[in-house]
Amino acid sequence: MTPRLLALGDSAWTLEFGSAIDPAINARVMGLAERVAQARGAEPLMASITDVVPTFRSLTVHYDPLEADATALGERLQVLAQDGHQAMQPGRLWHLPVCFDADFAPDLPRLAEAKGLSPDEVIQRLLTATFRVYMLGFQPGFPYMGGVPPELHMPRLPAPRQKVPAQSLAVAGEMCAVYPWDSPGGWNLLGRTPVVLFDLRHAEQPALLAAGDEVRCHAVERATHDRLAAEIARGMPRETFLKAPER
């Protein structure tokens, strides 16, 4: 499918690759993001680009309207987008510890009952899934992740909670997320990770996850969750969670 070029005001172009949440479409989005990043350092026309924002199905390229030849830039982006290449560099694979204690997972029993499963069966299905980060949005560092097993698809809550605790693992429809901050939210809360998803101590990249990354979860007891939370607060390296846990 030929991507569609849309003007977003006078300082951004959006290229749409489709209308569905689909790994192949998102791979084309991420592929274009890579090619734009490479071109920014090699082509004078691309030097006016200020930011690149991937979503499920589109890429928005922001530019300085006082510096750019907007028409020529849009035409060049269309050329880069039409070759159909997917992302050349795979995203990182994160291994997040998750505690499923009852006070961390208030919606787990209800989801299990609705699906005719036991809570342990729901947890096992979550632990065998690989979630793909399609985009960040809603709040800084909030990852919209696909890959929820179809048998666990669940609508949002009829009324959102006024406060969802930070680091809560949640599902809604076919999507999974982890709330980086205490905030209102209407997703189904199934567990909690001690891993901080947005940390300003990492000035260059405060968000832990990025579009194109993948996430796998492994279950931990409450004592392990609390110990890891304390170690993370003291500065445990993020790279720790790029390694698969020892069994």
Side-chain angles (χ1 to χ4, degrees):
M1 175 180 177
T2 300
R4 187 166 63 138
L5 182 70
L6 302 170
L8 190 63
D10 64 353
S11 61
W13 289 110
T14 292
L15 292 104
E16 288 187 348
F17 288 84
S19 59
I21 300 175
D22 179 86
I25 291 175
N26 189 246
R28 291 189 65 194
V29 171
M30 298 310 301
L32 176 60
E34 285 186 3
R35 291 192 296 281
V36 170
Q38 293 169 354
R40 286 175 73 178
E43 301 179 24
L45 177 63
M46 312 291 273
S48 62
I49 294 173
T50 58
D51 199 8
V52 177
V53 182
T55 71
F56 296 108
R57 62 189 183 92
S58 67
L59 186 78
T60 294
V61 178
H62 295 267
Y63 58 86
D64 183 344
L66 300 180
E67 298 291 335
D69 180 337
T71 299
L73 178 60
E75 292 172 350
R76 178 60 179 146
L77 291 173
Q78 282 185 302
V79 171
L80 291 175
Q82 286 172 356
D83 61 14
H85 287 176
Q86 299 185 350
M88 294 171 282
Q89 296 295 327
R92 299 162 296 180
L93 174 59
W94 298 93
H95 299 269
L96 299 189
V98 178
C99 180
F100 296 96
D101 275 14
D103 57 329
F104 286 170
D107 298 316
L108 179 57
R110 181 175 53 82
L111 186 148
E113 182 179 6
K115 301 301 181 180
L117 300 168
S118 70
D120 284 344
E121 288 173 326
V122 172
I123 292 169
Q124 287 306 309
R125 283 164 169 76
L126 290 171
L127 297 182
T128 58
T130 299
F131 301 110
R132 177 184 176 85
V133 181
Y134 282 106
M135 60 177 284
L136 303 183
F138 172 53
Q139 54 183 238
F142 186 100
Y144 286 88
M145 300 186 288
V148 176
E151 64 271 24
L152 300 185
H153 291 182
M154 190 78 172
R156 295 170 183 258
L157 302 179
R161 291 182 171 88
Q162 293 185 359
K163 182 179 179 181
V164 172
Q167 280 91 259
S168 292
L169 176 74
V171 298
E174 62 186 279
M175 305 303 297
C176 179
V178 177
Y179 283 79
W181 309 84
D182 290 350
S183 71
W187 292 35
N188 302 276
L189 306 185
L190 304 183
R192 196 176 303 173
T193 179
V195 180
V196 176
L197 268 67
F198 192 90
D199 189 342
L200 289 174
R201 291 177 296 182
H202 301 272
E204 292 187 2
Q205 189 177 353
L208 177 75
L209 303 178
D213 285 355
E214 293 184 331
V215 173
R216 293 177 183 164
C217 300
H218 60 97
V220 296
E221 301 295 333
R222 183 64 168 268
T224 301
H225 170 280
D226 295 347
R227 174 180 59 78
L228 287 172
E231 293 179 2
I232 290 167
R234 292 194 296 266
M236 174 185 281
R238 288 176 158 187
E239 291 73 20
T240 301
F241 302 103
L242 288 171
K243 302 174 184 176
E246 295 182 2
R247 298 299 181 184

